[in-house]
Amino acid sequence: MKFGKSICILNVGGTKYAFSRDVIKDFPLRRVSRLHNCASEKEVLEVCDDYDRERNEFFFDRHSEAFVFIMLYVKSGKLRFVPQMCELSFYNEMIYWGLESSHLEFCCQRRLDDRMSDTYTYFSEEDIKTEEESRDEDDLDNSTSAGRGSAKWLERMRRTFEEPTSSVAAQILASVSVIFVIMSMVILCASTLPDWDTAKNNSAEEHRIIEAVCIGWFTAECIVRFIVSKDKCEFVRRPLNIIDLLAITPYYVSVVMTMLTGENPQLQRAGVTLRVLRMMRIFWLIKLARHFLGLQTLGLTLKRCYREMVMLLVFVCVAMAIFSALAQLLEHGLDLEASNEDYASIPAACWWVIISMTTVGYGDMYPITMPGRVLGGVCVVSGIVLLALPITFIYHSFVQCYHELRFRSARCTRSLSAEFLN
């Protein structure tokens, strides 16, 4: 520092601290130590908020109580949160003075991680995208050109079809889509009843019309959503859109096969394929995830907890391999004369391990020897423990996902209410 007095005064939120130049030079806080390298008042004002040359006083408009705890860290080497102060606010103060989260004590680091996790849950990337889209829409409102008007119309159409809570029209469209999904599922379930063929012969034309209308609605909805989408490649890669395609395609395949083969034995030979394709329409139920918070929460939880799901699967597979091998040995391999034929092979014993670890116990297979029964008890207890370990992580993720989606839904509802009042 090439100007000022030998004693430097730091005024942080009204609290003053006096230090010598030598102390400022090697000060543990980077922002304070930067003052020593300042050659002019202009450079000083880039570090602090104000500067008094006569008293050589540097003003920092920051939280004074937080700086007290930061100074305790400078003296003792231990940094903890200020009581009754938001963890994120204190973390902002730390960043300002040049500290990192690693300087915190371990207990405070965990509190900060939990707090930041909750915050990032509420303000996720999708929310940022929504805000950017809103800003783009505002820009479109300020434009009067024909091209901007067309882009604005496409954006409104996209939000109407993609975001059921974005407007009144979107809610009406979502309700109609749900009605068609329910109608299609009722027809699909009723078609498996024993008396369906008789009823179909009496009203075959009505059933075909209802089915064609449902398929037509889903097809039109999918085409419109594809047309108004911003990124066509991303639209095709989305899981829900792939499911829509898998649900719609079987109907057109069956119609084409009927037109090509007619009512002849060739169609009968293809009956199994047609029944499989027809049953794929059950995927339409997943379309309800666009409109129901519970299904969205489930899907988002599975997406974020895939590591825990893989870990759970590994636990089950390892336990299944161990217990199935032991069960086959104890029930069939040791005593060939009085062996239990249900455990004739390790793959057959795997079924018993699965239903035992999940505490289902159908009763179709059970050990008859004393060692086998002891092994069965150990298998059941192990299954309870192994399944419970990853469930804790999945549960916490489910709660976070639920709060995130509920927060987003409430925000959209407020926007919808304002739109309705306007």
Side-chain angles (χ1 to χ4, degrees):
M1 188 181 297
K2 300 179 181 179
F3 60 93
K5 302 177 182 179
S6 58
I7 300 298
C8 303
I9 300 176
L10 304 183
N11 190 326
V12 182
T15 305
K16 298 182 180 181
Y17 303 86
F19 302 100
S20 64
R21 286 188 178 184
D22 295 334
V23 174
I24 293 292
K25 179 180 179 181
D26 299 323
F27 208 81
L29 303 180
R30 287 199 298 268
R31 180 169 291 272
V32 177
S33 62
R34 283 169 55 189
L35 293 173
H36 185 271
N37 299 324
C38 295
S40 63
E41 291 189 19
K42 182 179 180 181
E43 295 182 3
V44 169
L45 293 178
E46 293 178 356
V47 179
C48 62
D49 297 309
D50 200 2
Y51 173 65
D52 188 345
R53 188 180 184 89
E54 294 181 0
R55 293 180 295 181
N56 199 30
E57 186 172 353
F58 303 88
F59 294 88
F60 296 88
D61 188 14
R62 306 301 298 184
H63 197 286
S64 59
E65 189 175 357
F67 189 73
V68 171
F69 277 72
I70 292 176
M71 288 300 298
L72 291 177
Y73 164 73
V74 173
K75 295 179 180 179
S76 63
K78 294 183 179 181
L79 181 60
R80 293 186 174 89
F81 285 128
V82 178
Q84 299 180 351
M85 180 178 180
C86 176
E87 292 86 353
L88 296 181
S89 299
F90 186 80
Y91 183 56
N92 289 333
E93 295 293 325
M94 291 172 51
I95 295 176
Y96 178 83
W97 294 109
L99 298 178
E100 300 177 356
S101 59
S102 58
H103 294 99
L104 285 167
E105 293 295 298
F106 180 72
C107 58
C108 294
Q109 285 188 25
R110 293 183 58 183
R111 285 176 54 189
L112 179 62
D113 292 341
D114 293 340
R115 181 65 173 171
M116 293 180 68
S117 177
D118 295 339
T119 304
Y120 290 151
T121 298
Y122 284 115
F123 301 98
S124 59
E125 294 181 359
E126 296 180 3
D127 295 327
I128 296 175
K129 291 181 181 178
T130 303
E131 294 176 0
E132 292 177 353
E133 292 170 359
S134 300
R135 289 195 296 268
D136 294 341
E137 189 173 353
D138 293 338
D139 294 339
L140 292 175
D141 291 336
N142 297 330
S143 177
T144 58
S145 62
R148 292 292 185 178
S150 177
K152 176 181 177 181
W153 180 82
L154 287 176
E155 176 63 20
R156 287 183 176 178
M157 287 289 293
R158 187 196 66 80
R159 295 191 65 182
T160 300
F161 279 87
E162 294 288 350
E163 302 175 11
T165 58
S166 61
S167 63
V168 177
Q171 285 193 347
I172 296 175
L173 193 67
S175 301
V176 174
S177 181
V178 170
I179 292 174
F180 276 109
V181 169
I182 294 175
M183 289 175 55
S184 178
M185 289 300 101
V186 169
I187 294 176
L188 179 62
C189 295
S191 64
T192 60
L193 295 174
D195 298 334
W196 174 255
D197 293 335
T198 303
K200 188 175 181 180
N201 293 331
N202 297 333
S203 57
E205 190 65 25
E206 290 81 356
H207 296 155
R208 292 194 186 96
I209 292 175
I210 294 175
E211 187 177 22
V213 169
C214 294
I215 295 294
W217 171 266
F218 296 139
T219 304
E221 182 184 11
C222 188
I223 292 174
V224 172
R225 289 175 50 247
F226 176 78
I227 292 174
V228 301
S229 63
K230 292 183 178 179
D231 190 346
K232 302 298 188 294
C233 296
E234 182 182 357
F235 178 87
V236 175
R237 291 195 299 265
R238 289 180 181 175
L240 286 179
N241 297 331
I242 296 175
I243 291 172
D244 289 344
L245 184 62
L246 293 177
I248 295 172
T249 304
Y251 174 80
Y252 294 103
V253 173
S254 61
V255 170
V256 171
M257 293 184 67
T258 303
M259 293 173 59
L260 295 177
T261 60
E263 301 295 334
N264 55 31
Q266 294 183 9
L267 183 59
Q268 299 298 327
R269 289 194 294 269
V272 176
T273 303
L274 291 178
R275 284 194 293 271
V276 172
L277 293 175
R278 183 182 179 86
M279 198 56 61
M280 289 178 63
R281 286 187 295 176
I282 199 68
F283 289 123
W284 280 337
L285 286 175
I286 304 179
K287 288 171 64 69
L288 299 177
R290 300 181 187 274
H291 317 295
F292 293 100
L293 184 64
L295 292 177
Q296 295 175 12
T297 304
L298 177 61
L300 188 59
T301 302
L302 294 177
K303 178 181 178 181
R304 294 182 177 178
C305 294
Y306 71 93
R307 291 187 179 89
E308 287 77 10
M309 299 298 293
V310 171
M311 181 170 58
L312 178 61
L313 182 62
V314 170
F315 287 170
V316 173
C317 291
V318 171
M320 185 172 60
I322 296 174
F323 286 113
S324 60
L326 294 176
Q328 193 275 338
L329 177 65
L330 296 176
E331 291 293 316
H332 188 271
L334 295 181
D335 191 356
L336 298 178
E337 295 181 358
S339 60
N340 190 345
E341 295 300 329
D342 291 337
Y343 298 83
S345 63
I346 292 180
C350 286
W351 168 250
W352 171 79
V353 174
I354 288 294
I355 62 177
S356 298
M357 291 184 64
T358 55
T359 66
V360 176
Y362 291 115
D364 55 343
M365 294 175 61
Y366 53 89
I368 58 177
T369 63
M370 183 57 65
R373 292 176 179 177
V374 173
L375 179 67
V378 175
C379 179
V380 171
V381 175
S382 301
I384 295 174
V385 174
L386 292 178
L387 293 176
L389 291 177
I391 293 299
T392 305
F393 300 99
I394 299 174
Y395 165 75
H396 287 297
S397 179
F398 180 86
V399 172
Q400 287 185 348
C401 293
Y402 175 74
H403 287 304
E404 171 190 351
L405 295 176
R406 190 176 64 176
F407 173 81
R408 192 179 304 165
S409 177
R411 187 173 61 181
C412 293
T413 302
R414 290 194 296 268
S415 301
L416 180 61
S417 301
E419 177 183 351
F420 182 76
L421 293 175
N422 292 332

